[in-house]
Amino acid sequence: MDLIIPQINFSAIAPALTVMITAVVVLLIGLFFQKVQRELLAIVGIIGLIVSLGELGRMWGKDITGFGGMVGNDNFTIAFQMIFIIAAFLAALLSLNRIEDEYVSYGEFYGLLLFALSGIIVMVQGLNLLIVFLGLEILSISLYILTGFRKMRADSIEAALKYFLLGAFSTGFLLYGIALIYGTTGSFSFKGISSYVNANGFTNVLFVAGIILFLVGLAFKAAFVPFHQWTPDVYQGAPTPIAAFMSVGAKGAAFAVLIRLFVSVAAFSTREWTIAIWVLALLTMTIGNVVAIVQQNIKRMLAYSSIAHAGYILVGVLAGNEMGRSAVLFYLMAYTFMNLGAFGVVSYLGISHKVENLRIESYRGIGYKYPFAALAMAVFMFSLAGVPPTAGFIGKFYLFSAALKAGFVWLVILSVLNAVISAYYYLRVVVAMYMQEPEEGKVFELPAASWGVGLALLLAVLGVLYMGIFPSSLMQLFQKTAELISML
Amino acid sequence: MLEWIWLVPLFPLIGVIINGLFGRYLGHKIVGILGSTMIGLSFITVSIIFVDLLKLPPEHRFFTKTLYDWIVAGNFTAQISFLVDPLSVVMMLVVTGVSFVIHIYSIGYMHGDKGYSRFFTYLNLFVFAMLLLITADNFLMMFVGWEGVGLCSYLLIGFWYGDNYNAYAGRKAFVVNRIGDFGFLLGIFFIVVTFHSVNFQEVFGAAAAKYTIGAPIITVITSLLFVGAMGKSAQIPLYVWLPDAMAGPTPVSALIHAATMVTAGVYMVARANVLYTLSPISMALIAVIGVATAFFAATMGMTQFDIKRMLAYSTISQLGYMFVGVGVGAFAAGIFHLMTHAFFKALLFMGAGSIMHAMSNSTDMRMMGGLKKKMPITYWTFLMATLAISGIPGFSGFFSKDEILWQSLAGAYGNFWIWLVGVITAGLTAFYMFRAVYMTFHGELRAKKEIAEHVHEAPSTMTVPLLILGVLAVIGGYIGIPKILGGSNPFEHFLDPVFEKSLEIRHAAGLVPHISGESARVLELPLMGLTFVIVLVGIGFAYLMYLKRPELPGIWTKKINYVYQLVFNKYYVDEIYETLIVNPMAAISESFLWKFVDVKIIDGFINGTGNVVRGTGRVVRKWQTGFVQNYALSFVIGVVILVFYIVFM
């Protein structure tokens, strides 16, 4: 028997490798130079991110595969990875804000953030279920630790524990799903699954069960209803920049894999799958939005809001056309700016007196006390609500147009209704900031924002406005990537 | 000069940027002058564009200036592009002109307010958004302006944020308008699906070419768009936010909630006249809702004691007239009334502001009276506006209102009942307006002594704008004198090219005016006279009840107490909405969807709120009682349902 030695092409995983190496470097610096400023650690990490962005740019348009076809980078995947790197970049800047005693070891903090990112990159690159699983686990384990990073705080530990238990539970489903898929198709690769489905359809119950379990694992990460309950608890307990990163990174990675699966297996467009995803999307956005209305804690509100946004993005996935795929990319990019921005303001405003100001009530009157932070927050809230001319409006318009084009009229009507309802709770924050007097005796004093936070918020605001006012260049770019999802 | 159209919205934007960023360092005087100058520059630019447009032959009065491709998705493109045609120029002239006057007025009115620069920033931002709305050459860009003016409106309603009621009023306006926006957005989505374009020319051209009168999809689109107009222009059933919006500063009420923003719905219908002409059902809907709103709002205005709220109901009522105009296919008449209304209603609000200025911000008309002597300029300008809105011949409102009433009877879509209710409403309008004049300016001053001593005429920054608008309220109608009174109605002819395609569609379908030719000539003047008589009756009752024998209202309202209470409480519509919609919604989302579905069923027994501070021991204990298991349980249930569905369906 000939042993085929797979062609190992390290350049195919260069971005992931760069991020991982940077993570190790940051860890080591933190370990050996305990006195070192955390700014330095963040800068080292950011340099690594920029290098890996450059490598992705180099790979653009080349469709590089490696490791015997287990990983591959077409433009669609590269676009996803770039979005996640930008998310990590913003999260790293935002984390420069926290009060000193909150994170004991910054080396580990930035190291783990970068490891989480490398997990996402591996996951998105994977053309093989095992690689996807590998990436997912790197991501998950890093996030479990990061969630519980505020060791002195009960809610942080509680969140980490919950996230870990449920995450492990969902991983079990995912792995079992992969096992069933392998058992029935004899293959781990998307290509193998695709040719199996083309030949046999969804006739084998075990195969179908495998696919469902795999999807459930992804649904947990993307926080679709009813796999979402961990989200508010975890976001609330996790350090705010980490919650922000999770809301984009972990969610987006799941969407990338989901789209790859749907593109490779055309049979997903059959009626019963469509209905199932239709219901899932509607449930996800409706429960997310309606429950967000009654939240008093802003992090929980943003958590439910992120659930709702997963529902909107799922509408674009369901559309199943090129427009839908590029809309998903566009929306994810927009969401990165507006959601990381919103969490960034929450993080900045939440640091006084070592007690977090997380009640929406405590935002009263800050519009005049902290005009720039409040203005930024208002921009993010309007964008999340989908008010023009922000990125959120264009993104929703794009997603829903794609779904309409694919014929999902009622889903679009219900989605627009959802977006209308959602405006109510986003506006609550704006009303509190600009239209209400501060609570008696609760005027809080904040230190000046660090350069990192200022820069991150500025970039996020510019991103939101740029994508709202001049969206066409980015749209066309994403459109080109979505036309050719070359590798299966 | 036409290609410089983009300057028109640019000037206010410059004002927003400078005042927004540096306003707090500039000092009140500079802020006010800068904000007003920017609007003045816009007005001058528009005037030059208007003159240039007049030089062109009527059929060539159409120009678009494209700045760049805004949204490009597949074969769908939306541009940032400005449209210059008679309709947009008329709107621009009204908006920049009235805005300029109100900006000047605000310099005096907002004097010494701590939010001075914020106020002018918002006000300039509003004008910018409004100009985007009316110069847009496609539905999406129009929507940007549409949302923008709404946003400024909420911000300005809640401007004096110290009062919780103001924030409540701002939020109410927002929520009600979101319902309208929902319809408007869906309308746009249906336009995209049907026409693969949002550009006005493309959509209207395709609609006229492909569809005949009565096509269902056009009815769907136009009714959805009209839902947006109901919200923005405060029509039944979405009018409830406008009276509460009076919580904002008075110049805001004058500019946004009387003269400009609230007329956006009328403008939108006139702009989309081709689509509406293709849908007689939507036209009928608009006319009926318009006339019903005109009537009910007028009755509510009759019982108000708060001068600003009274004017708010009057605005709702007059907007109803405009919708009657466009709803019966008299688009030019609707826009004509929009313009004259902008003059006299802005003037009325500014007069009310001048009174409030003198009366230590009191708005209760029962506390006023006899102000005529102390505030002559305010009195005379207020009276001019009152004569105009009541439709006294010779004043601007007379020409525009009578044109609408005549068309509502004689036009192709006319209807006797719409006309009749419209005429009765004209009488009610005269009654409540003169009631206000008598209660505030005539008789004896009923205010407390310390307030009465301070009553004075407003400073010249406020009285000069009053005088300017006073002149316009009188003569503004002369550009639209109908043929029957010896005029040639140049206003209507100027707008003709915009509505030409609608007329062609109408002719092709054989829709002709009900009354025309000889019978029209015989009827028009007598009907005009009839309306005038009814108006005089209204004035007479006001005179009798509020000047001659002030005890009469008390006696009469007692006799019809049930009816009076019903009207006085505004038909309990707010209360009905509260019980039927707001409370159940809140209950559903709070107790059912969240507390029951999400927390009890999905979240298990976790207490979702109290997580902020929680001891470790409690965490572990709660953890052991098992809510993570409950999360997992719902997880499994979800999987089981999915598998069951996919495998067995």
Side-chain angles (χ1 to χ4, degrees):
Chain A
M1 185 176 125
D2 289 331
L3 186 67
I4 306 164
I5 297 171
Q7 181 215 354
I8 293 178
N9 182 0
F10 278 108
S11 72
I13 55 163
L17 272 183
T18 312
V19 175
M20 282 179 187
I21 291 167
T22 318
V24 173
V25 170
V26 170
L27 260 182
L28 289 178
I29 296 177
L31 187 63
F32 289 114
F33 306 98
Q34 301 232 332
K35 291 272 176 224
V36 79
Q37 293 280 317
R38 62 188 165 135
E39 269 91 350
L40 180 73
L41 295 167
I43 289 170
V44 172
I46 284 170
I47 291 172
L49 292 177
I50 292 172
V51 171
S52 62
L53 257 189
E55 298 191 332
L56 284 171
R58 193 180 50 78
M59 291 158 83
W60 186 264
K62 288 190 186 147
D63 290 357
I64 295 173
T65 53
F67 293 85
M70 288 175 99
V71 297
N73 291 285
D74 51 23
N75 285 354
F76 190 65
T77 339
I78 292 177
F80 263 112
Q81 293 172 39
M82 285 178 161
I83 293 174
F84 299 135
I85 290 177
I86 292 171
F89 174 84
L90 291 175
L93 285 178
L94 287 176
S95 60
L96 284 174
N97 184 52
R98 309 298 306 184
I99 36 176
E100 283 302 321
D101 60 353
E102 192 132 37
Y103 306 141
V104 185
S105 40
Y106 296 105
E108 288 164 22
F109 181 82
Y110 289 112
L112 284 167
L113 178 64
L114 291 169
F115 276 128
L117 175 67
S118 71
I120 293 176
I121 294 180
V122 169
M123 196 175 158
V124 174
Q125 285 181 330
L127 298 179
N128 182 302
L129 297 183
L130 282 184
I131 298 292
V132 171
F133 177 69
L134 184 69
L136 185 79
E137 281 305 279
I138 298 174
L139 166 69
S140 303
I141 290 168
S142 312
L143 285 182
Y144 299 150
I145 305 171
L146 282 170
T147 303
F149 216 78
R150 301 190 288 186
K151 285 172 237 172
M152 307 307 291
R153 296 183 49 143
D155 60 345
S156 191
I157 296 168
E158 178 194 352
L161 203 50
K162 275 185 183 164
Y163 191 31
F164 169 67
L165 282 170
L166 289 165
F169 189 62
S170 81
T171 302
F173 278 86
L174 186 99
L175 206 51
Y176 193 34
I178 293 178
L180 285 176
I181 293 170
Y182 183 68
T184 45
T185 67
S187 169
F188 282 122
S189 73
F190 286 112
K191 204 180 260 172
I193 299 168
S194 169
S195 47
Y196 174 85
V197 176
N198 288 342
N200 304 305
F202 288 108
T203 45
N204 190 335
V205 174
L206 284 180
F207 173 70
V208 172
I211 289 282
I212 290 176
L213 295 182
F214 181 74
L215 288 180
V216 163
L218 292 179
F220 172 82
K221 275 279 166 278
F224 296 146
V225 174
F227 312 107
H228 70 288
Q229 303 95 323
W230 57 275
T231 324
D233 293 353
V234 171
Y235 283 15
Q236 189 187 344
T240 309
I242 294 305
F245 179 69
M246 284 164 78
S247 71
V248 174
K251 240 179 234 286
F255 274 111
V257 176
L258 204 60
I259 290 177
R260 185 172 294 284
L261 189 66
F262 284 2
V263 170
S264 35
V265 183
F268 273 118
S269 56
T270 52
R271 197 160 166 273
E272 50 269 33
W273 283 102
T274 304
I275 293 177
I277 298 164
W278 196 103
V279 171
L280 211 58
L282 184 64
L283 262 185
T284 303
M285 66 176 102
T286 309
I287 297 261
N289 276 327
V290 175
V291 177
I293 291 177
V294 287
Q295 298 305 315
Q296 301 301 327
N297 178 306
I298 193 150
K299 272 169 96 176
R300 288 186 82 84
M301 186 204 91
L302 284 174
Y304 280 107
S305 135
S306 83
I307 294 170
H309 283 268
Y312 301 141
I313 299 178
L314 198 52
V315 173
V317 176
L318 182 62
N321 44 20
E322 278 156 22
M323 198 174 167
R325 288 194 288 277
S326 54
V328 168
L329 274 178
F330 187 90
Y331 201 82
L332 205 58
M333 184 79 253
Y335 188 63
T336 302
F337 286 128
M338 60 199 185
N339 212 42
L340 275 153
F343 270 111
V345 178
V346 169
S347 152
Y348 170 58
L349 293 177
I351 56 176
S352 75
H353 305 316
K354 302 186 182 173
V355 179
E356 281 191 303
N357 293 306
L358 291 177
R359 288 173 319 118
I360 295 172
E361 284 287 290
S362 70
Y363 280 57
R364 283 164 55 163
I366 66 159
Y368 308 108
K369 202 158 163 51
Y370 302 103
F372 290 105
L375 184 64
M377 189 64 166
V379 170
F380 301 137
M381 289 295 119
F382 284 124
S383 185
L384 285 166
V387 175
T390 57
F393 169 69
I394 306 282
K396 284 200 181 72
F397 181 77
Y398 203 10
L399 278 176
F400 298 160
S401 299
L404 267 185
K405 204 175 172 190
F408 295 100
V409 174
W410 277 104
L411 185 60
V412 168
I413 292 178
L414 294 168
S415 306
V416 175
L417 185 62
N418 255 287
V420 167
I421 292 172
S422 77
Y424 185 75
Y425 59 84
Y426 294 123
L427 187 83
R428 252 177 74 199
V429 180
V430 179
V431 167
M433 291 191 306
Y434 285 102
M435 294 186 193
Q436 287 174 347
E437 294 278 15
E439 292 172 294
E440 299 250 336
K442 293 215 174 146
V443 182
F444 50 89
E445 296 296 331
L446 295 178
S450 69
W451 62 269
V453 178
L455 182 63
L457 292 184
L458 182 69
L459 288 177
V461 167
L462 290 180
V464 166
L465 292 181
Y466 180 79
M467 288 181 70
I469 300 172
F470 304 103
S472 61
S473 54
L474 209 55
M475 274 176 155
Q476 280 163 330
L477 182 77
F478 286 151
Q479 219 147 347
K480 282 201 197 92
T481 68
E483 277 165 17
L484 307 161
I485 300 190
S486 50
M487 269 166 292
L488 296 174
Chain B
M1 197 63 196
L2 292 185
E3 63 271 24
W4 294 91
I5 170 74
W6 52 275
L7 279 178
V8 177
L10 182 71
F11 285 124
L13 187 63
I14 293 172
V16 172
I17 292 167
I18 297 177
N19 274 342
L21 292 180
F22 312 109
R24 69 185 69 207
Y25 313 111
L26 286 179
H28 286 187
K29 206 164 189 176
I30 300 176
V31 167
I33 291 174
L34 184 88
S36 311
T37 311
M38 287 301 153
I39 308 298
L41 288 174
S42 278
F43 178 67
I44 293 169
T45 318
V46 177
S47 306
I48 299 172
I49 288 173
F50 173 60
V51 172
D52 281 2
L53 202 67
L54 279 182
K55 286 180 197 152
L56 296 170
E59 62 274 18
H60 289 122
R61 287 175 186 166
F62 179 87
F63 178 82
T64 52
K65 169 77 187 171
T66 305
L67 288 191
Y68 64 94
D69 284 349
W70 178 35
I71 300 177
V72 181
N75 53 4
F76 171 83
T77 309
Q79 294 171 318
I80 295 295
S81 179
F82 299 103
L83 169 64
V84 185
D85 73 346
L87 181 57
S88 74
V89 168
V90 165
M91 290 299 291
M92 279 191 277
L93 280 173
V94 171
V95 167
T96 53
V98 174
S99 298
F100 179 62
V101 174
I102 292 176
H103 271 73
I104 304 271
Y105 177 86
S106 306
I107 293 177
Y109 189 85
M110 298 303 287
H111 181 76
D113 195 282
K114 65 175 177 168
Y116 202 78
S117 65
R118 192 160 53 94
F119 181 81
F120 276 93
T121 309
Y122 289 168
L123 218 53
N124 276 7
L125 184 63
F126 166 76
V127 178
F128 167 72
M130 189 72 202
L131 287 169
L132 279 191
L133 195 163
I134 53 187
T135 54
D137 92 326
N138 63 63
F139 281 104
L140 261 188
M141 191 177 147
M142 188 190 219
F143 185 68
V144 174
W146 190 272
E147 289 288 87
V149 291
L151 178 62
C152 297
S153 157
Y154 322 134
L155 286 173
L156 283 163
I157 294 170
F159 183 76
W160 285 315
Y161 56 92
D163 191 344
N164 264 336
Y165 170 71
N166 294 13
Y168 159 80
R171 199 158 55 196
K172 185 170 177 183
F174 180 83
V175 171
V176 174
N177 269 295
R178 284 311 281 186
I179 299 171
D181 293 346
F182 172 59
F184 198 77
L185 253 184
L186 281 184
I188 295 177
F189 274 121
F190 276 104
I191 289 173
V192 172
V193 176
T194 315
F195 300 104
H196 305 292
S197 170
V198 284
N199 181 283
F200 288 145
Q201 267 51 57
E202 287 169 26
V203 170
F204 300 153
K210 271 199 279 184
Y211 295 95
T212 51
I213 284 190
I217 182 69
I218 303 290
T219 301
V220 170
I221 289 173
T222 46
S223 347
L224 284 171
L225 290 179
F226 182 59
V227 172
M230 281 177 188
K232 192 113 298 182
S233 298
Q235 296 296 292
I236 290 175
L238 300 182
Y239 68 92
V240 287
W241 63 273
L242 191 61
D244 287 308
M246 296 302 124
T250 304
V252 171
S253 313
L255 177 61
I256 301 183
H257 303 122
T260 54
M261 183 190 84
V262 288
T263 62
V266 182
Y267 167 74
M268 187 275 294
V269 174
R271 175 57 76 199
N273 62 79
V274 174
L275 294 181
Y276 280 96
T277 305
L278 287 171
S279 172
I281 298 175
S282 298
M283 294 279 273
L285 177 76
I286 293 174
V288 168
I289 291 219
V291 80
T293 308
F295 178 76
F296 281 105
T299 58
M300 289 184 261
M302 286 162 58
T303 57
Q304 295 298 311
F305 291 113
D306 180 313
I307 188 165
K308 280 185 76 183
R309 289 181 81 91
M310 184 276 292
L311 288 175
Y313 283 109
S314 162
T315 304
I316 298 171
S317 172
Q318 296 297 311
L319 288 166
Y321 270 119
M322 295 174 214
F323 278 111
V324 171
V326 293
V328 298
F331 299 108
I335 296 295
F336 188 29
H337 196 56
L338 184 162
M339 186 190 77
T340 57
H341 175 259
F343 299 150
F344 60 67
K345 188 52 65 64
L347 178 55
L348 287 171
F349 269 110
M350 284 157 64
S354 174
I355 296 168
M356 287 163 65
H357 194 78
M359 302 276 298
S360 316
N361 285 325
S362 165
T363 53
D364 192 341
M365 292 192 285
R366 282 169 296 194
M367 295 295 123
M368 299 173 186
L371 296 176
K372 180 181 168 184
K373 269 178 239 119
K374 285 181 172 166
M375 309 178 70
I377 301 178
T378 306
Y379 169 68
W380 284 107
T381 50
F382 198 93
L383 185 65
M384 292 302 117
T386 303
L387 293 170
I389 191 176
S390 305
I392 305 296
F395 293 85
S396 62
F398 164 75
F399 299 106
S400 53
K401 192 185 281 181
D402 256 338
E403 183 66 23
I404 288 175
L405 286 175
W406 171 245
Q407 293 285 350
S408 72
L409 181 68
Y413 300 87
N415 178 299
F416 172 74
W417 296 105
I418 288 179
W419 171 82
L420 184 68
V421 178
V423 170
I424 295 171
T425 306
L428 301 181
T429 308
F431 172 79
Y432 69 70
M433 281 314 301
F434 273 89
R435 167 179 177 266
V437 168
Y438 292 137
M439 283 181 85
T440 45
F441 292 105
H442 293 262
E444 292 298 315
L445 183 53
R446 298 175 287 271
K448 284 191 202 113
K449 199 161 167 255
E450 59 270 25
I451 293 177
E453 278 167 0
H454 282 103
V455 173
H456 58 278
E457 184 60 282
S460 61
T461 45
M462 289 166 69
T463 50
V464 172
L466 286 177
L467 290 169
I468 297 173
L469 281 184
V471 172
L472 285 174
V474 178
I475 64 163
Y478 291 109
I479 55 168
I481 298 176
K483 237 184 230 145
I484 194 86
L485 294 177
S488 61
N489 208 340
F491 184 82
E492 204 176 311
H493 289 305
F494 179 61
L495 286 177
D496 271 347
V498 182
F499 307 123
E500 209 176 344
K501 205 174 268 167
S502 293
L503 274 183
E504 282 167 18
I505 296 170
R506 232 183 271 175
H507 283 308
L511 280 166
V512 289
H514 292 325
I515 307 170
S516 59
E518 189 54 35
S519 49
R521 215 160 320 161
V522 175
L523 262 176
E524 195 169 352
L525 267 183
L527 289 180
M528 218 176 251
L530 177 68
T531 313
F532 182 49
V533 170
I534 289 175
V535 165
L536 286 182
V537 170
I539 298 174
F541 267 102
Y543 177 76
L544 185 67
M545 289 167 74
Y546 293 95
L547 202 62
K548 195 82 179 163
R549 294 180 56 193
E551 75 281 2
L552 271 184
I555 301 170
W556 287 0
T557 50
K558 233 174 240 144
K559 278 196 184 150
I560 51 160
N561 195 26
Y562 287 111
V563 181
Y564 178 75
Q565 286 302 329
L566 183 67
V567 179
F568 183 70
N569 289 298
K570 295 155 282 182
Y571 302 97
Y572 298 98
V573 170
D574 276 320
E575 287 76 4
I576 292 170
Y577 282 5
E578 197 85 0
T579 1
L580 285 187
I581 300 169
V582 181
N583 292 344
M585 283 277 282
I588 286 172
S589 70
E590 168 119 18
S591 45
F592 182 70
L593 275 169
W594 183 41
K595 293 223 168 114
F596 187 67
V597 176
D598 210 55
V599 176
K600 284 251 167 60
I601 295 184
I602 301 182
D603 270 12
F605 301 104
I606 186 177
N607 174 6
T609 44
N611 280 347
V612 182
V613 186
R614 185 182 278 168
T616 319
R618 277 181 73 204
V619 173
V620 177
R621 186 171 50 87
K622 281 214 172 183
W623 186 84
Q624 283 171 335
T625 56
F627 37 84
V628 175
Q629 282 93 321
N630 278 295
Y631 287 10
L633 184 65
S634 87
F635 199 109
V636 173
I637 291 171
V639 175
V640 169
I641 292 174
L642 258 177
V643 172
F644 186 84
Y645 171 75
I646 295 289
V647 174
F648 296 102
M649 288 295 161

